[in-house]
Amino acid sequence: MRVLGIETSCDETGIAIVDDHAGLIANQLYSQVKLHADYGGVVPELASRDHVRKIVPLIRAAMAEANCSADDIDGVAFTRGPGLVGALLVGATVGRSLAYSWNVPAVGVHHLEGHLLAPMLEENVPEFPFVALLVSGGHTQLIRVDGIGQYELLGESIDDAAGEAFDKTAKLIGLDYPGGPLLAKMAEAGTPGVFKFPRPMTDRPGLDFSFSGLKTAAATAIRAADASDQTKADIAHAFQQAVIDTVAIKCRRALEQTQLKRLVVAGGVSANLELRRQLAELMAERQGEVFYPAPQFCTDNGAMIAYAGLQRLKAGETQPLSVTTRPRWPLEELTSI
């Protein structure tokens, strides 16, 4: 079975084609980072309009890359939610329309399920069950995964997600958008111990996260400190270490609570090298294993949507002709396959 996947939940237009025998055979991605940089964040209306401009050329490029025609496509998967409603509608409308015109089934995919299953695109595939850490701009969640559609939410951010906190703190330091990767790079030049920030909610039981107070602590330090590059690097280092320590502590608790030995880390922040190093140490200590998507599949992309859609289409799921999106969509509402 060969599936075309469409991702338009936010500010990346991702198109990919996945074959259940050959694997990923086409992957096209367009990022709107430059478009939104002047505004310091994603402007939903601009994002929707740019998806409209880019989606058809990217589909054509993916079809050419895979050297296939409409007759070779057996199904279409598109991101149904969660995400920006206007952006979601672009991908859902185009995806459902293509499926209708090609006379193939379509399925709406949960964006976070796509991230959860992204490591399945790699050669070293995690076996179920495992604990998943979804850590991105909009989500920080710990989930027990017993199979596709079998998800138990263990903990989540009650305010800012880790990626949001990275981007907002980077903006306070004076870095461009998106600031998370730039802050991580700046942190490499920081001196450990010059600044000390709290590890939020680690002094109480539970697996929920809160990064709003940490962002406030960083803002206070930035206002009180001098504006030298070294001071900014020291603050960036302290902030990043506080986030990573907090995430690692919660991951340890989740693994102890579930008694599982496998950890899957997905989402844009999963590309952070210091986070990977610390989680690798944690899993080595616990005699377990940690899995990641390839760097190009950590952020939003069509490949993860195509793969998740392939699994659901093979299980018989289809989307009706009516186009509906779910800007808010709890992961636990998905059906097991």
Side-chain angles (χ1 to χ4, degrees):
M1 189 175 196
R2 188 168 288 185
V3 173
L4 173 75
I6 300 173
E7 157 60 20
T8 62
S9 65
C10 191
D11 61 341
E12 272 96 20
T13 311
I15 309 295
I17 300 174
V18 168
D19 186 285
D20 58 354
H21 295 297
L24 180 65
I25 58 175
N27 185 43
Q28 298 287 324
L29 183 68
Y30 172 77
S31 174
Q32 301 177 2
V33 164
K34 291 182 179 179
L35 175 66
H36 301 288
D38 290 342
Y39 304 95
V42 176
V43 181
E45 178 64 21
L46 295 181
S48 303
R49 293 182 182 183
D50 218 32
H51 285 309
V52 171
R53 284 190 288 265
K54 300 296 183 182
I55 190 167
V56 172
L58 285 172
I59 291 172
R60 288 175 175 157
M63 299 287 278
E65 181 185 350
N67 192 28
C68 66
S69 67
D71 292 337
D72 300 312
I73 300 298
D74 301 303
V76 177
F78 57 85
T79 303
R80 188 181 176 207
L84 302 175
V85 62
L88 290 169
L89 280 169
V90 175
T93 302
V94 171
R96 193 64 195 84
S97 300
L98 282 177
Y100 177 76
S101 64
W102 293 345
N103 195 30
V104 298
V107 66
V109 173
H110 195 294
H111 179 74
L112 297 185
E113 181 170 67
H115 276 302
L116 276 178
L117 300 180
M120 304 297 183
L121 293 164
E122 307 305 314
E123 290 186 8
N124 186 22
V125 175
E127 295 181 3
F128 300 113
F130 55 78
V131 171
L133 169 67
L134 283 180
V135 56
S136 66
H139 301 88
T140 303
Q141 297 179 328
L142 281 165
I143 301 163
R144 178 186 172 118
V145 180
D146 288 295
I148 297 177
Q150 300 176 44
Y151 308 127
E152 178 189 354
L153 181 64
L154 303 174
E156 63 183 338
S157 53
I158 61 174
D159 42 51
D160 285 351
E164 287 177 309
F166 262 102
D167 286 341
K168 290 177 180 179
T169 302
K171 187 174 182 179
L172 292 170
I173 291 176
L175 300 175
D176 292 334
Y177 172 85
L182 298 177
L183 186 147
K185 182 66 176 176
M186 176 179 280
E188 295 176 5
T191 305
V194 176
F195 291 90
K196 179 71 173 179
F197 295 138
R199 275 58 176 163
M201 296 184 70
T202 58
D203 59 347
R204 66 189 77 176
L207 294 171
D208 286 336
F209 300 88
S210 171
F211 294 107
S212 180
L214 177 56
K215 178 195 66 183
T216 301
T220 301
I222 292 166
R223 286 194 297 268
D226 63 71
S228 70
D229 290 343
Q230 185 58 52
T231 297
K232 291 179 180 179
D234 293 341
I235 292 173
H237 183 279
F239 174 82
Q240 174 177 258
Q241 199 58 53
V243 172
I244 291 173
D245 285 350
T246 300
V247 169
I249 289 168
K250 298 288 185 172
C251 285
R252 179 187 294 275
R253 288 184 186 175
L255 292 163
E256 291 173 349
Q257 178 178 311
T258 59
Q259 293 297 298
L260 295 177
K261 294 288 189 179
R262 288 180 289 272
L263 176 67
V264 164
V265 187
V269 183
S270 68
N272 184 286
L273 296 179
E274 182 59 26
L275 175 64
R276 291 192 174 210
R277 184 194 65 77
Q278 197 153 323
L279 291 180
E281 289 182 358
L282 168 64
M283 297 312 293
E285 175 191 331
R286 295 187 57 80
Q287 297 181 325
E289 195 171 2
V290 60
F291 301 84
Y292 301 94
Q296 66 266 33
F297 302 134
C298 289
T299 53
D300 296 348
N301 63 88
M304 67 183 192
I305 301 304
Y307 180 84
L310 172 66
Q311 307 312 310
R312 293 199 168 270
L313 286 168
K314 287 172 66 175
E317 285 194 22
T318 59
Q319 193 76 23
L321 278 174
S322 58
V323 175
T324 58
T325 58
R326 297 284 303 272
R328 294 183 182 275
W329 189 5
L331 193 63
E332 304 95 302
E333 291 184 6
L334 294 181
T335 56
S336 172
I337 61 173

